[in-house]
Amino acid sequence: MKTEDINNHFGDMDLFLMDLILKGKVPEDARVLDIGCGEGRNGIYFIRNGYVYHGWDNDPSRLKLLEYLAQTLESHRATFKEADLRAADTSQTFDLIICSRMLHFADSIEDFQLMWQKLNSILAPGGVVYITMDSAVDNTLAKPLGEGKFEFPDTKIRFALTNPLYEEMKKGFEEIEPLRTLVHHDERAQSFLVLRKF
């Protein structure tokens, strides 16, 4: 397969999410929820391959672009909704939840816990959650400001994952991939979490 074919197939997907797919850890009949889907960076593969795909975002203009793309791919199993995780309808559950670079917008530890509880409530038993978020795990880059917020060398202030927070998140879950944390040019750190619900 040529590089161009790979790009067309997977789009601009997170590499660790692609790794999960290539390892066979995402069943072909999985119901997928992409929270903070944006213009579909992580959704293209699932839309193109006929998954039941739900894209949520709070930016309607981005959702319209992704919906148009789904139409060009003749997908009839993709739906899109302007939604906030905090107010999620818990009547439907999903087998894979993608939450890429969204949870670090939490306003406080309490706000983060609310989002995590909501996410947990819509993840089916045996379901997998893939999360990326800014991180203060095992690094000294970030300056703690309280309430889960950290200031990073890039001067931005964001909520960040910590070791104690990760231990709390793992309750009721198993790691199916080790926690990975990448440092970006001594400016910020980002963690990648992959957990399966018991």
Side-chain angles (χ1 to χ4, degrees):
M1 185 179 281
K2 296 179 180 178
T3 302
E4 183 179 347
D5 296 329
I6 295 171
N7 288 338
N8 287 334
H9 192 68
F10 286 102
D12 192 23
M13 177 181 282
D14 289 359
L15 291 177
F16 290 132
L17 181 57
M18 185 189 301
D19 180 59
L20 204 63
I21 293 166
L22 294 175
K23 287 178 177 175
K25 294 181 179 178
V26 179
E28 291 183 2
D29 61 349
R31 294 160 296 168
V32 179
L33 172 62
D34 191 355
I35 302 173
C37 61
E39 296 174 11
R41 184 168 56 86
N42 286 316
I44 302 291
Y45 170 86
F46 299 103
I47 293 170
R48 186 186 300 276
N49 287 281
Y51 282 80
V52 175
Y53 173 87
H54 298 259
W56 291 3
D57 203 285
N58 59 11
D59 185 337
S61 62
R62 290 184 172 190
L63 285 172
K64 283 184 180 179
L65 284 171
L66 184 53
E67 189 170 9
Y68 174 76
L69 177 60
Q71 289 171 357
T72 64
L73 294 173
E74 298 183 356
S75 170
H76 305 291
R77 305 185 80 192
T79 60
F80 308 94
K81 182 167 74 170
E82 187 176 349
D84 186 317
L85 176 59
R86 298 169 185 87
D89 175 7
T90 57
S91 63
Q92 187 175 18
T93 60
F94 302 91
D95 305 304
L96 171 65
I97 296 180
I98 303 164
C99 194
S100 182
R101 298 198 54 74
M102 198 280 296
L103 291 175
H104 57 234
F105 292 114
D107 294 322
S108 64
I109 294 172
E110 184 179 0
D111 188 36
F112 178 88
Q113 289 171 338
L114 171 62
M115 289 194 283
W116 178 243
Q117 287 166 3
K118 280 286 188 175
L119 191 153
N120 196 348
S121 70
I122 58 176
L123 182 65
V128 172
V129 60
Y130 169 86
I131 295 172
T132 72
M133 62 182 293
D134 285 333
S135 177
V137 170
D138 297 333
N139 77 78
T140 57
L141 284 177
K143 175 184 174 184
L145 301 176
E147 279 301 314
K149 294 286 188 77
F150 290 81
E151 182 176 7
F152 289 83
D154 64 5
T155 72
K156 292 184 179 175
I157 296 172
R158 294 179 291 268
F159 191 92
L161 184 70
T162 61
N163 297 79
L165 188 60
Y166 183 54
E167 291 304 314
E168 283 295 313
M169 293 171 72
K170 286 194 297 182
K171 292 178 180 177
F173 289 82
E174 64 171 326
E175 282 184 318
I176 60 171
E177 289 292 330
L179 176 68
R180 299 176 172 101
T181 302
L182 300 179
V183 177
H184 298 268
H185 303 292
D186 293 328
E187 291 185 351
R188 63 182 178 87
Q190 183 178 7
S191 282
F192 300 79
L193 301 68
V194 185
L195 302 171
R196 178 182 285 124
K197 187 176 180 177
F198 288 132

